[in-house]
Amino acid sequence: MSKRYFTIGMAGHIDHGKTSLTRALTNVDTDRLKEEKERQISIELGFAPLYEDEELQISVVDVPGHERFIRQMIAGVAGIDLVVLVVAADEGVMPQTREHLDILGFLGIRSGIIAITKIDRVEEEFIELVKDDILSELEGSVFENAPFMMVDSLSKKGIHELKELIIEKLKEQEMRDAKGAFRLPIDQVFTVKGQGTVVRGTVYEGTVEEGQLLKVLPSGVEVRARQLQVHHQPAKSAYAGQRAAINLSGVSKDDLERGEVLVSSEHFIVTNTIDVAIRVVEDLEHLVKQRTPIKCHIGTAEVMGRIVFFDRNELKEDNGEILCQLRLDEKIVTKRGDRFIVRRPSPQETIGGGWVIDPRGNKYRFGQQTIEELEKKKAGTPIERINAALYEAKSLSVEELIKRTALDEGSILTNLNDEQFVRISNKEYALVSVVEVIEEDIKDRLDNYHLENPMRTGMNKAELLQSLQKTFSKTLLEFIIDNGINKGLFSRKEQYISLASFAPHVPKNWVKRTENLLNELKEDGLKVAYLNDYIKNAGIPDSIAAELKRFLEDQGEIVLLDDQYAWYGAHFEDAVERLRKHTGDEFEVPQAKEAVELSRKYMIPFLERLDALGYTRRVENKRVWKK
C-alpha cells in the first residue's frame, strides 16, 4: 500500500481559535453539538478532512481546550501524528497552553507547528513580543524547534501557507504501522437510524476490512464490521492513521462505551496492572505519595487507580524518568510502548505521563532489585524481549510472544529469523541455547538409564517425556528428540529412546554365565527343560532373571514359547522353516507334529507363538500361513 494516512491535531487554550483555524483549513465546522454552538467552545472531539492526493490523506482533530474537557483532549491527541499548537496573538501563552505542552510531550508527540492566530487583532510589534514569549515557554519542550506560522482564520492570512507546511512535514514522516493487528480505541458511540450501532475513532495500527469479524475489549464481545466510513464516505478498508466510523452488527449502543477498544486479534492484552516509565511535570503543586489515587488516560480510556513506587514513598518534583507501576480499578487494553497521562482527580492536576514498559505487571517487592528488573524490561530491544520471554517460558507461539513482548507480529517474525531462535513446530519457537540445554539433560538421563539398565533397548519415550513435561512443553521435547535422532545423537526403536552410541548388553560380571545358559539351551535342541532351570543352573540370580530373559528375547538369542519354555533362537527359526517346507498354505496339528517331530507339550506353545509373531493365523482347527 503506497498511500499514507495521517491525523493531525489542533491543541491550545480555550478561545485561541482552534475550531476557527480548522474551519479555515478544511471548510468544515467541527462544532457539531448544540451546546458547543451556544457556549462557543468545543466539548467533544471534532474531525474534518484536510487534504488528499494519491500519496497522502490527512485528517484534522480539533481538540477541546477548556480545562474541564481535558479528558477529550488527551483522547484526541493520543491518536495523532502532528500537532498544531494554537496561540492567540492577543493573549499569548496561557496556563492551559502550558498543560497541553506537557501532555503533548508525555504522549510522545515529536512533530509540531506553532500557529499564532488572530494576527489581525494586534499590531505587528505586539506579535513579535508574543513570539518571544512563546519561545521562552517552549524551551526544553518538544516544540522548542518547531516552525512558526502567522495566521488569521477570518481574513485567511497565512492559511494556505500553513496547509502547505503541514503537507510538507507529513510527506517526510513515517506513518503508523498498517501491517500489525487492527486496533481502534473507541472515542464515540452512537446509533444511525436504519443502520444500528456505530463507533468512531482513530485507527492506531493495522487495517480493518468491511465484513471483518472483530472483538470489543475488555468486554470480549464479538462483532462484525458491517460498513465502514472514512470522513463520511463509504470505504472498503480503513488504515492506521485514518479516522474511521464503523457500523457494527452483533452489539447495541448500550453495550459499548468510550474507552473500549475494537481489535481484530487475540494478541492484545487486557490488564489492570501495568509497569511504566513516567515523568512528572516541572511545577507539580501537590505531593504525590505512595498509592496516591490517580486517573489514568490511555488511548481513549479514563480509569481510576493508584500509583505504586518501588524506590520512594513520595514524589514532589521532576526526578527524570521514574520506574513504577499503575494499579487500575478497571481493565484496559494496552501494549508495550503505549503512551499515557496520569492526573490527580482532586484537586485536578496533571501529574505526569510516560509509556508502558510491560502491560503484564505483577506484584513486586519494594527495593532496588525491583528497580533493576524494571530497568532491564525498559531497555530491552525487540530481540532481547523475545529472548527473555522464550528463556522464561522455554517455548512460545507467535501469538503468545505478541502478548508477552508487546511487539507486533511482523516485528516478531522478522526477529525470529535470528540464529539464536529455532522453530520447533508450525506455531512454536524456542531459544537454541534452551534446546541445547534440554538436549544435554536428555543425554544425561539416557546415559544414567543405560548404566542402570544395560540390557534394555532404551528408555520408554512416554516415561522420558513425563519426567520433563513438568518444565517443558511436549512440543519442545518432541522436537528435541526428533532433532537428536536426525543428528545421530539419539536412536528410536518402537517406543524406546536411547543414545545412538548405546547398544544393549549383558553386564560384564554376568557375560560368562549367560553364555553357559545359551550353550546349554542350544545343546538341548527343541526338547528343552523349563527356562528357569537353565537360569538357576547358570548361577544367575533372580534379581536380574526377568531382565535377562527380556534382553535375550529382544536380541533374538532365545524365543519364548510361553512363560515356561524357551528355544534357542536359531533352533526356533529352523523349526519354522521345516514346518513351511512340509506343509501347504494351511495345516493342522498332526501335520505339524509330523514335520517338526515334536510332542504336544512343545507343539501347542510353538504354534501359538507362531500365531502371536504373525507367521500364521488360526482358522478353527487349522492354521493358515500369512504371506
Side-chain angles (χ1 to χ4, degrees):
M1 185 186 63
S2 57
K3 194 163 184 173
R4 298 185 298 147
Y5 303 91
F6 296 99
T7 301
I8 72 166
M10 299 286 178
H13 193 78
I14 185 173
D15 286 337
H16 277 212
K18 297 185 300 300
T19 302
S20 297
L21 180 57
T22 301
R23 185 166 53 245
L25 285 166
T26 65
N27 295 317
V28 174
D29 186 355
T30 56
D31 278 349
R32 307 170 316 284
L33 303 179
K34 180 182 177 183
E35 187 181 0
E36 291 177 326
K37 298 288 188 183
E38 291 173 353
R39 295 170 63 185
Q40 295 187 325
I41 61 172
S42 296
I43 299 172
E44 291 290 343
L45 303 173
F47 301 93
L50 173 71
Y51 176 79
E52 184 169 10
D53 63 15
E54 292 181 356
E55 296 180 8
L56 289 178
Q57 184 188 76
I58 304 172
S59 311
V60 181
V61 182
D62 176 16
V63 178
H66 196 282
E67 193 276 335
R68 286 170 55 193
F69 306 122
I70 196 124
R71 173 169 69 97
Q72 284 89 336
M73 194 280 285
I74 292 169
V77 171
I80 67 176
D81 304 291
L82 177 146
V83 171
V84 177
L85 186 66
V86 179
V87 182
D90 57 349
E91 288 192 326
V93 176
M94 300 294 283
Q96 283 153 39
T97 311
R98 296 187 184 96
E99 187 172 23
H100 285 201
L101 277 171
D102 285 335
I103 289 170
L104 294 171
F106 294 142
L107 292 175
I109 304 298
R110 292 289 174 265
S111 185
I113 297 169
I114 313 298
I116 300 180
T117 59
K118 306 182 182 181
I119 58 172
D120 283 359
R121 293 191 181 186
V122 297
E123 299 294 329
E124 195 169 324
E125 293 80 6
F126 191 76
I127 292 175
E128 289 302 315
L129 292 174
V130 171
K131 188 174 178 180
D132 290 339
D133 181 34
I134 294 170
L135 284 170
S136 65
E137 288 290 341
L138 295 180
E139 192 173 345
S141 78
V142 293
F143 283 80
E144 186 173 17
N145 299 310
F148 278 81
M149 294 298 296
M150 309 297 172
V151 298
D152 190 275
S153 300
L154 296 179
S155 66
K156 299 292 182 76
K157 281 183 184 177
I159 295 298
H160 175 74
E161 290 78 6
L162 174 58
K163 188 171 183 177
E164 289 296 310
L165 179 60
I166 292 169
I167 295 167
E168 182 184 331
K169 284 182 74 70
L170 289 176
K171 279 186 176 179
E172 299 170 357
Q173 191 165 315
E174 289 294 320
M175 69 172 282
R176 292 170 182 266
D177 182 13
K179 295 179 182 177
F182 167 74
R183 175 167 59 144
L184 180 142
I186 297 169
D187 57 45
Q188 290 173 348
V189 183
F190 52 95
T191 55
V192 175
K193 191 173 181 180
Q195 298 295 322
T197 305
V198 177
V199 298
R200 185 181 282 146
T202 300
V203 183
Y204 267 33
E205 57 192 319
T207 304
V208 63
E209 307 282 343
E210 190 176 71
Q212 188 172 353
L213 191 65
L214 303 170
K215 186 170 281 191
V216 180
L217 296 177
S219 66
V221 175
E222 289 193 347
V223 296
R224 191 174 294 279
R226 184 158 51 189
Q227 292 177 318
L228 303 178
Q229 280 194 356
V230 177
H231 295 312
H232 307 290
Q233 298 298 316
K236 294 293 183 184
S237 306
Y239 303 97
Q242 285 188 310
R243 286 291 303 172
I246 305 177
N247 176 209
L248 300 177
S249 62
V251 68
S252 73
K253 175 181 178 292
D254 295 335
D255 293 328
L256 299 175
E257 60 182 17
R258 182 195 192 116
E260 291 188 296
V261 183
L262 197 60
V263 301
S264 64
S265 164
E266 299 288 345
H267 301 163
F268 293 103
I269 296 167
V270 175
T271 180
N272 61 0
T273 305
I274 55 176
D275 297 337
V276 300
I278 189 171
R279 291 182 182 274
V280 299
V281 297
E282 290 185 8
D283 53 351
L284 193 63
E285 291 185 22
H286 301 89
L287 192 70
V288 179
K289 295 183 178 180
Q290 179 73 286
R291 299 181 183 274
T292 289
I294 54 94
K295 189 179 288 185
C296 175
H297 299 266
I298 186 162
T300 57
E302 175 189 15
V303 182
M304 295 295 295
R306 293 183 182 274
I307 189 166
V308 177
F309 300 115
F310 300 107
D311 60 348
R312 69 197 71 207
N313 286 309
E314 60 182 38
L315 180 65
K316 179 64 177 75
E317 56 189 18
D318 181 9
N319 290 48
E321 198 166 52
I322 299 158
L323 302 182
C324 57
Q325 191 175 79
L326 301 182
R327 296 181 185 171
L328 307 174
D329 296 345
E330 300 172 44
K331 299 278 189 181
I332 60 165
V333 179
T334 188
K335 62 189 285 189
R336 181 183 167 94
D338 280 358
R339 296 279 177 162
F340 64 89
I341 300 296
V342 172
R343 302 195 81 228
R344 186 191 302 276
S346 181
Q348 291 191 4
E349 175 188 22
T350 296
I351 294 171
W355 61 283
V356 176
I357 296 173
D358 186 354
R360 291 174 174 266
N362 289 309
K363 288 190 176 181
Y364 313 123
R365 291 180 180 273
F366 185 92
Q368 188 58 33
Q369 184 176 349
T370 293
I371 295 298
E372 289 172 4
E373 289 300 315
L374 291 176
E375 285 282 5
K376 289 178 186 176
K377 283 189 183 183
K378 173 191 162 190
T381 62
I383 206 163
E384 286 170 342
R385 302 210 303 266
I386 295 170
N387 189 301
L390 288 175
Y391 184 80
E392 181 183 353
K394 309 312 176 193
S395 63
L396 291 168
S397 66
V398 172
E399 289 76 12
E400 290 166 331
L401 278 168
I402 290 169
K403 290 181 178 180
R404 285 177 179 251
T405 63
L407 295 167
D408 62 77
E409 185 175 3
S411 177
I412 285 174
L413 290 173
T414 299
N415 283 287
L416 283 171
N417 289 323
D418 191 89
E419 60 184 13
Q420 66 182 297
F421 306 115
V422 60
R423 187 174 183 173
I424 63 171
S425 73
N426 288 338
K427 296 182 178 180
E428 218 164 314
Y429 289 81
L431 283 168
V432 170
S433 59
V434 168
V435 168
E436 290 172 348
V437 168
I438 301 171
E439 188 176 80
E440 284 298 316
D441 187 6
I442 292 175
K443 281 170 63 180
D444 290 343
R445 288 169 186 262
L446 290 175
D447 196 33
N448 290 332
Y449 187 87
H450 295 329
L451 286 172
E452 293 174 7
N453 307 280
M455 291 185 287
R456 294 188 184 179
T457 303
M459 192 173 185
N460 191 299
K461 183 181 176 184
E463 182 185 349
L464 177 62
L465 292 179
Q466 186 178 19
S467 65
L468 290 163
Q469 271 182 256
K470 294 176 183 176
T471 310
F472 310 109
S473 74
K474 186 177 180 182
T475 306
L476 177 57
L477 295 173
E478 292 273 10
F479 168 80
I480 293 169
I481 290 170
D482 291 343
N483 190 52
I485 291 168
N486 293 334
K487 292 195 307 183
L489 186 63
F490 306 133
S491 290
R492 176 168 49 207
K493 183 180 180 181
E494 297 175 348
Q495 73 268 37
Y496 300 104
I497 306 296
S498 67
L499 291 174
S501 58
F502 171 75
H505 60 277
V506 176
K508 284 184 180 179
N509 51 332
W510 304 115
V511 170
K512 187 63 179 174
R513 299 186 188 193
T514 302
E515 288 176 356
N516 291 337
L517 181 157
L518 291 172
N519 286 334
E520 191 175 349
L521 194 64
K522 183 178 180 181
E523 287 175 9
D524 288 348
L526 301 183
K527 297 176 181 179
V528 294
Y530 292 142
L531 179 59
N532 285 342
D533 291 341
Y534 291 103
I535 291 171
K536 284 180 182 178
N537 291 340
I540 295 169
D542 292 342
S543 60
I544 70 163
E547 196 74 40
L548 182 62
K549 285 182 193 177
R550 187 187 302 123
F551 169 76
L552 293 175
E553 185 175 33
D554 286 345
Q555 298 302 308
E557 296 282 358
I558 66 172
V559 176
L560 296 172
L561 300 183
D562 54 22
D563 57 0
Q564 290 183 316
Y565 298 111
W567 284 347
Y568 186 69
H571 291 346
F572 177 84
E573 294 298 331
D574 181 61
V576 173
E577 191 61 29
R578 284 163 58 191
L579 185 59
R580 278 188 185 277
K581 285 183 177 179
H582 289 85
T583 58
D585 292 339
E586 58 184 39
F587 60 91
E588 294 184 13
V589 173
Q591 293 171 276
K593 287 174 66 177
E594 184 180 338
V596 187
E597 299 178 350
L598 282 176
S599 67
R600 190 174 184 86
K601 179 172 88 170
Y602 299 112
M603 181 54 66
I604 298 304
F606 172 52
L607 294 178
E608 288 178 350
R609 191 60 176 160
L610 289 179
D611 295 340
L613 292 173
Y615 287 98
T616 57
R617 177 170 54 88
R618 183 171 179 174
V619 181
E620 296 179 348
N621 293 326
K622 295 180 180 180
R623 277 182 169 77
V624 179
W625 288 104
K626 288 186 178 179
K627 295 180 180 180

